[in-house]
PDB file of all heavy atoms in Angstrom:
ATOM      1  N   SER A 325     140.752 187.860 108.974  1.00 95.00           N
ATOM      2  CA  SER A 325     139.667 187.095 108.360  1.00 95.00           C
ATOM      3  C   SER A 325     140.016 185.613 108.295  1.00 95.00           C
ATOM      4  O   SER A 325     139.152 184.749 108.442  1.00 95.00           O
ATOM      5  CB  SER A 325     139.363 187.636 106.963  1.00 95.00           C
ATOM      6  OG  SER A 325     140.480 187.474 106.117  1.00 95.00           O
ATOM      7  N   LEU A 326     141.306 185.328 108.101  1.00 96.00           N
ATOM      8  CA  LEU A 326     141.737 183.929 108.107  1.00 96.00           C
ATOM      9  C   LEU A 326     141.580 183.340 109.501  1.00 96.00           C
ATOM     10  O   LEU A 326     141.146 182.199 109.666  1.00 96.00           O
ATOM     11  CB  LEU A 326     143.195 183.817 107.666  1.00 96.00           C
ATOM     12  CG  LEU A 326     143.487 184.049 106.196  1.00 96.00           C
ATOM     13  CD1 LEU A 326     144.977 183.980 105.934  1.00 96.00           C
ATOM     14  CD2 LEU A 326     142.768 183.015 105.351  1.00 96.00           C
ATOM     15  N   ALA A 327     141.914 184.145 110.506  1.00 95.00           N
ATOM     16  CA  ALA A 327     141.857 183.652 111.888  1.00 95.00           C
ATOM     17  C   ALA A 327     140.459 183.166 112.233  1.00 95.00           C
ATOM     18  O   ALA A 327     140.271 182.074 112.770  1.00 95.00           O
ATOM     19  CB  ALA A 327     142.286 184.752 112.850  1.00 95.00           C
ATOM     20  N   THR A 328     139.475 183.990 111.908  1.00 92.00           N
ATOM     21  CA  THR A 328     138.108 183.638 112.266  1.00 92.00           C
ATOM     22  C   THR A 328     137.631 182.411 111.515  1.00 92.00           C
ATOM     23  O   THR A 328     137.009 181.530 112.093  1.00 92.00           O
ATOM     24  CB  THR A 328     137.168 184.812 111.928  1.00 92.00           C
ATOM     25  OG1 THR A 328     137.830 186.034 112.200  1.00 92.00           O
ATOM     26  CG2 THR A 328     135.898 184.712 112.733  1.00 92.00           C
ATOM     27  N   GLU A 329     137.937 182.380 110.239  1.00 90.00           N
ATOM     28  CA  GLU A 329     137.338 181.339 109.400  1.00 90.00           C
ATOM     29  C   GLU A 329     137.960 179.972 109.595  1.00 90.00           C
ATOM     30  O   GLU A 329     137.292 178.954 109.437  1.00 90.00           O
ATOM     31  CB  GLU A 329     137.429 181.753 107.922  1.00 90.00           C
ATOM     32  CG  GLU A 329     136.534 180.922 107.017  1.00 90.00           C
ATOM     33  CD  GLU A 329     136.395 181.536 105.644  1.00 90.00           C
ATOM     34  OE1 GLU A 329     136.887 182.659 105.429  1.00 90.00           O
ATOM     35  OE2 GLU A 329     135.792 180.885 104.769  1.00 90.00           O
ATOM     36  N   ALA A 330     139.250 179.955 109.959  1.00 84.00           N
ATOM     37  CA  ALA A 330     139.924 178.672 109.885  1.00 84.00           C
ATOM     38  C   ALA A 330     140.587 178.215 111.171  1.00 84.00           C
ATOM     39  O   ALA A 330     141.284 177.221 111.180  1.00 84.00           O
ATOM     40  CB  ALA A 330     140.963 178.715 108.770  1.00 84.00           C
ATOM     41  N   ALA A 331     140.350 178.947 112.248  1.00 82.00           N
ATOM     42  CA  ALA A 331     141.026 178.594 113.491  1.00 82.00           C
ATOM     43  C   ALA A 331     140.723 177.154 113.897  1.00 82.00           C
ATOM     44  O   ALA A 331     141.595 176.425 114.346  1.00 82.00           O
ATOM     45  CB  ALA A 331     140.611 179.557 114.595  1.00 82.00           C
ATOM     46  N   ALA A 332     139.474 176.758 113.724  1.00 84.00           N
ATOM     47  CA  ALA A 332     139.076 175.436 114.195  1.00 84.00           C
ATOM     48  C   ALA A 332     139.336 174.349 113.159  1.00 84.00           C
ATOM     49  O   ALA A 332     139.683 173.238 113.490  1.00 84.00           O
ATOM     50  CB  ALA A 332     137.593 175.444 114.564  1.00 84.00           C
ATOM     51  N   ARG A 333     139.177 174.700 111.883  1.00 89.00           N
ATOM     52  CA  ARG A 333     139.203 173.656 110.861  1.00 89.00           C
ATOM     53  C   ARG A 333     140.586 173.213 110.439  1.00 89.00           C
ATOM     54  O   ARG A 333     140.791 172.076 110.043  1.00 89.00           O
ATOM     55  CB  ARG A 333     138.420 174.131 109.623  1.00 89.00           C
ATOM     56  CG  ARG A 333     136.951 173.798 109.720  1.00 89.00           C
ATOM     57  CD  ARG A 333     136.216 174.249 108.475  1.00 89.00           C
ATOM     58  NE  ARG A 333     136.010 175.705 108.456  1.00 89.00           N
ATOM     59  CZ  ARG A 333     135.402 176.343 107.469  1.00 89.00           C
ATOM     60  NH1 ARG A 333     134.975 175.679 106.419  1.00 89.00           N
ATOM     61  NH2 ARG A 333     135.222 177.640 107.529  1.00 89.00           N
ATOM     62  N   ASP A 334     141.552 174.141 110.459  1.00 93.00           N
ATOM     63  CA  ASP A 334     142.890 173.803 109.971  1.00 93.00           C
ATOM     64  C   ASP A 334     143.937 174.240 110.994  1.00 93.00           C
ATOM     65  O   ASP A 334     144.400 175.376 110.977  1.00 93.00           O
ATOM     66  CB  ASP A 334     143.124 174.498 108.621  1.00 93.00           C
ATOM     67  CG  ASP A 334     144.468 174.120 108.007  1.00 93.00           C
ATOM     68  OD1 ASP A 334     145.355 173.643 108.740  1.00 93.00           O
ATOM     69  OD2 ASP A 334     144.637 174.279 106.787  1.00 93.00           O
ATOM     70  N   PRO A 335     144.320 173.334 111.880  1.00 95.00           N
ATOM     71  CA  PRO A 335     145.257 173.677 112.953  1.00 95.00           C
ATOM     72  C   PRO A 335     146.571 174.241 112.429  1.00 95.00           C
ATOM     73  O   PRO A 335     147.140 175.153 113.034  1.00 95.00           O
ATOM     74  CB  PRO A 335     145.494 172.338 113.646  1.00 95.00           C
ATOM     75  CG  PRO A 335     144.304 171.505 113.295  1.00 95.00           C
ATOM     76  CD  PRO A 335     143.896 171.933 111.932  1.00 95.00           C
ATOM     77  N   GLU A 336     147.034 173.711 111.299  1.00 95.00           N
ATOM     78  CA  GLU A 336     148.300 174.184 110.758  1.00 95.00           C
ATOM     79  C   GLU A 336     148.181 175.641 110.330  1.00 95.00           C
ATOM     80  O   GLU A 336     149.063 176.458 110.571  1.00 95.00           O
ATOM     81  CB  GLU A 336     148.701 173.301 109.568  1.00 95.00           C
ATOM     82  CG  GLU A 336     150.192 173.244 109.332  1.00 95.00           C
ATOM     83  CD  GLU A 336     150.541 172.114 108.371  1.00 95.00           C
ATOM     84  OE1 GLU A 336     149.766 171.126 108.300  1.00 95.00           O
ATOM     85  OE2 GLU A 336     151.558 172.226 107.688  1.00 95.00           O
ATOM     86  N   LEU A 337     147.044 175.956 109.706  1.00 97.00           N
ATOM     87  CA  LEU A 337     146.794 177.343 109.317  1.00 97.00           C
ATOM     88  C   LEU A 337     146.669 178.224 110.546  1.00 97.00           C
ATOM     89  O   LEU A 337     147.180 179.357 110.576  1.00 97.00           O
ATOM     90  CB  LEU A 337     145.525 177.430 108.468  1.00 97.00           C
ATOM     91  CG  LEU A 337     145.084 178.829 108.037  1.00 97.00           C
ATOM     92  CD1 LEU A 337     146.190 179.531 107.268  1.00 97.00           C
ATOM     93  CD2 LEU A 337     143.818 178.759 107.194  1.00 97.00           C
TER      94      LEU A 337
END
Side-chain angles (χ1 to χ4, degrees):
Chain A
S325 63
L326 288 177
T328 323
E329 195 167 353
R333 272 181 284 179
D334 184 341
E336 207 167 334
L337 177 57

